[in-house]
Amino acid sequence: MATTTRTPETHGTTRTHNDCDPATRVTRSLLGYGVLAGPFYVSVALAQVFTRDGFDPAVHQWSMLALGDHGWIQVANLTLTGLMLVAFAVGLGRALTPGRGARWAPRLVAAYGISLVAAGAFRADAAYGFPVGTAEGPGDISWHGMLHLAAGAVGFTCLAVACFVLARRYTADGRLTWAVFSRIVGVVFLAGFGAVAVGAGAAAANLAFTAAIVLVFGWITAVALDRYRRTVSPS
């Protein structure tokens, strides 16, 4: 849907964002993937959380939804979300240039997107009774389970660092509320990741990590919307 803006040079006439030059339209389209990625991932995951037999959100992490007969749904969810984030990262780089964070913020977000694709390709190991029929307890770690954990560790770390990189950009731009918000999200996300890393299988750790995932995807959506609204055609 087109939105309108008034410009001094048109003396009260209006123009729509559909009148953007081609480069701006491409940038805004790429940023749009960042708006969609979080709601898409969270809604698809939650739909499975409440419908998959044997899945307990207090015990099992969302990545384990990739296991079992319907695991392809979560694999597709991880892959598509990861690709959307890579596209968003390209748009973010275009939207931030020139200025602080224009190089590293997009790279870090893209690394997280790639890690999601890798997490879908290398599935987590069955554990704690899921899928149904799996023995209770943490179980053995396979080679693909190890790669899954490695992808998560790299991706989560990159995304947390991206929060702080963008916080510096917001500070440089004089947008202190956004800077504080980004730093809080980075800290909370790191804390949630640390909690699940040392307390896998513990209800409090899993729920804290799930909350951190929802929060950081909300942050991505907010940042994408912010950059989308601020990306305009050169005069």
Side-chain angles (χ1 to χ4, degrees), residues 64 124-130 134-142 145-146 149 200-201:
M64 294 178 68
D125 291 307
Y128 301 106
F130 186 83
T134 301
E136 296 296 332
D140 298 325
I141 299 180
S142 65
M146 185 64 71
L149 293 173

Side-chain angles (χ1 to χ4, degrees), residues 191-232:
F193 175 47
V196 80
V198 300
N206 281 337
L207 292 175
F209 181 60
T210 298
I213 287 288
V214 173
L215 175 64
V216 80
F217 268 118
W219 174 80
I220 290 172
T221 297
V223 169
L225 277 171
D226 176 60
R227 302 321 306 186
Y228 183 95
R229 290 168 177 164
R230 286 174 172 268
T231 300
V232 295

Side-chain angles (χ1 to χ4, degrees), residues 1-221:
M1 181 177 69
T3 57
T4 60
T5 54
R6 294 187 179 272
T7 56
E9 57 272 354
T10 55
H11 302 291
T13 62
T14 62
R15 67 176 182 178
T16 69
H17 285 307
N18 289 339
D19 296 328
C20 293
D21 66 285
T24 300
R25 286 199 296 270
V26 170
T27 300
R28 289 167 66 89
S29 295
L30 292 169
L31 291 171
Y33 285 106
V35 177
L36 296 174
F40 176 82
Y41 179 78
V42 172
S43 60
V44 173
L46 285 177
Q48 297 174 83
V49 166
F50 296 113
T51 57
R52 292 286 301 275
D53 290 339
F55 189 88
D56 184 349
V59 177
H60 307 119
Q61 297 170 31
W62 285 3
S63 61
M64 294 178 68
L65 290 166
L67 303 173
D69 293 338
H70 300 288
W72 64 269
I73 298 174
Q74 185 64 0
V75 171
N77 191 22
L78 288 164
T79 302
L80 291 175
T81 302
L83 293 176
M84 283 192 281
L85 288 177
V86 171
F88 164 59
V90 175
L92 183 63
R94 295 164 65 103
L96 291 175
T97 302
R100 179 170 292 180
R103 175 178 297 181
W104 280 106
R107 292 179 179 180
L108 292 164
V109 172
Y112 178 59
I114 293 170
S115 78
L116 289 181
V117 176
F122 304 107
R123 303 187 189 191
D125 291 307
Y128 301 106
F130 186 83
V132 174
T134 301
E136 296 296 332
D140 298 325
I141 299 180
S142 65
W143 65 269
H144 57 82
M146 185 64 71
L147 289 175
H148 179 88
L149 293 173
V154 172
F156 295 147
T157 300
C158 287
L159 185 56
V161 175
C163 292
F164 297 114
V165 172
L166 281 174
R168 292 187 64 191
R169 171 59 180 262
Y170 281 124
T171 299
D173 290 345
R175 305 181 67 196
L176 299 184
T177 299
W178 278 89
V180 171
F181 174 45
S182 297
R183 289 190 178 94
I184 290 174
V185 171
V187 170
V188 171
F189 187 59
L190 279 177
F193 175 47
V196 80
V198 300
N206 281 337
L207 292 175
F209 181 60
T210 298
I213 287 288
V214 173
L215 175 64
V216 80
F217 268 118
W219 174 80
I220 290 172
T221 297

